[in-house]
Amino acid sequence: MSKAYVKSRASVWINELVDKAKMMEYNNNVKFEKRYISLALNISKHYKVRIPDKRYICKKCNSILIPGRNATVRIRKNRIIIKCLRCGNVKRFRIK
């Protein structure tokens, strides 16, 4: 198998796992949500593939951040501030 094929399959797996984690968040099944996110992170590290919208994954508790459900999003002074409501972790990103 070629390297490009393996990377494309890995990105498909990651997208499926992130979608399943979002479904588990809506079903209030935190255990499976965190497991799916940790699997997606491990696959992305192993195959060196980027996770789409990684800013919506909490580094501290490995949960998917859905604004209005388990995260708050604020825009202040050219920055986006995303706060996880489960663990209280704060992420800050600059707006260009």
Side-chain angles (χ1 to χ4, degrees), residues 6 8 11 14 16-17 27 29-30 32-33 39 41-42 44 46 57 62 68-69 71 76 80 85-86 89-90 93:
V6 172
S8 68
S11 65
I14 290 170
E16 288 177 2
L17 287 169
N27 294 334
N29 198 340
V30 178
F32 285 119
E33 171 200 353
L39 284 173
L41 289 171
N42 288 338
S44 71
H46 183 72
I57 296 175
N62 278 344
R69 186 161 178 91
R76 296 200 179 154
I80 296 175
L85 296 179
R86 288 199 180 133
N89 190 29
V90 177
F93 301 99

Side-chain angles (χ1 to χ4, degrees), residues 1 6 13-14 20 22 34 50 52 54 61 63-64 68 81 85 95:
M1 286 190 273
V6 172
W13 294 334
I14 290 170
K20 285 183 181 181
K22 286 178 185 177
K34 289 185 179 186
R50 289 187 180 200
K54 191 172 178 181
C61 66
S63 63
I64 190 102
I81 302 169
L85 296 179
I95 300 173

Side-chain angles (χ1 to χ4, degrees), residues 9-55:
R9 288 300 303 159
S11 65
V12 169
W13 294 334
I14 290 170
N15 288 333
E16 288 177 2
L17 287 169
V18 170
D19 290 340
K20 285 183 181 181
K22 286 178 185 177
M23 287 175 51
M24 291 298 126
E25 169 59 36
Y26 285 119
N27 294 334
N28 293 325
N29 198 340
V30 178
K31 182 179 174 184
F32 285 119
E33 171 200 353
K34 289 185 179 186
R35 178 67 180 152
Y36 291 149
I37 291 298
S38 66
L39 284 173
L41 289 171
N42 288 338
I43 290 170
S44 71
K45 287 177 189 173
H46 183 72
Y47 293 107
K48 297 176 184 169
V49 178
R50 289 187 180 200
I51 296 177
D53 290 334
K54 191 172 178 181
R55 71 172 54 180

